[in-house]
Amino acid sequence: MQVLKNLFQVGGDLNGITFDQPGALWNDANSYVLKTAQGLILFDCGCGDTMEQIFANMRYWDLSPDDIRVCFLTHAHYDHAGGAHLLKERGVKFIAIGETADAVASGDERCCGYLYHKIFQPVTVDQLVVDSQRLTVLGVEIEVMHLPGHSRGCTAFLFNWEQKRVVISGDVIGTLLSGDFGWSGSIDFDKTMYTESLRRFAKVDTDLMLPGHGMIYFHKPRRRVEEALNSALMQWR
Ligand SMILES: [Zn+2]
């Protein structure tokens, strides 16, 4: 599905871009491709079982899987990063914050493989980033925003595209219902950190929010973050 010119959603079972198994809605997180003149940037890569579907979706848009140069990980959960080892074998370079790199390198409970009755295949992150860092990848300046809580490594990535400020937000907010926040069952879930992250994220204006699951927000995404903050403040005080 094309989101903006040269920006595509290529995976995600909640809205049926990929399909994992009957009844599954959260097995395969959203993955997105940014097409640059220097190659493709992927954001998250799904659980792994849907990799061929992701590739097929890409080919429909004339995006060759061989052109994926880098993949950013929003966090270590299986539905977002379970397929990373498959891309690694193809020479894709991974970029993530230290907490996520540490989790995916071990493949331990922080990656939640148990939740899907699967073994998380460990993977080494090639480039570590830190909060507030701006790095240029394939000619695109990408800003890193570390928003821990749903997991320790939760990170949003922001960039300008087609005169719009775009944020890849992972599971920092849930997007199935208004005002929802991400799943709170992770072994490294932290309520206090999460609330602080929502406070900080609620001050950031963007034009387009591409979340880890469900629908993309094309209008006033910050309001959704404010609603999630409100829910967190009500439920967690
Ligand atoms: Zn998650």
Side-chain angles (χ1 to χ4, degrees), residues 29 74-80 110 112 116 150-151 154 170-172 182-183 186 212-213:
T74 63
H75 60 302
H77 285 165
Y78 184 84
D79 48 333
H80 297 255
R110 290 171 291 175
C112 295
Y116 303 92
H150 166 78
S151 74
C154 274
D171 288 352
V172 174
W183 177 64
S186 189
H213 299 272

Side-chain angles (χ1 to χ4, degrees), residues 59-79:
R59 289 188 191 103
Y60 176 84
W61 293 105
D62 290 326
L63 306 166
S64 170
D66 294 337
D67 292 337
I68 304 171
R69 301 274 174 269
V70 293
C71 178
F72 284 82
L73 294 176
T74 63
H75 60 302
H77 285 165
Y78 184 84
D79 48 333

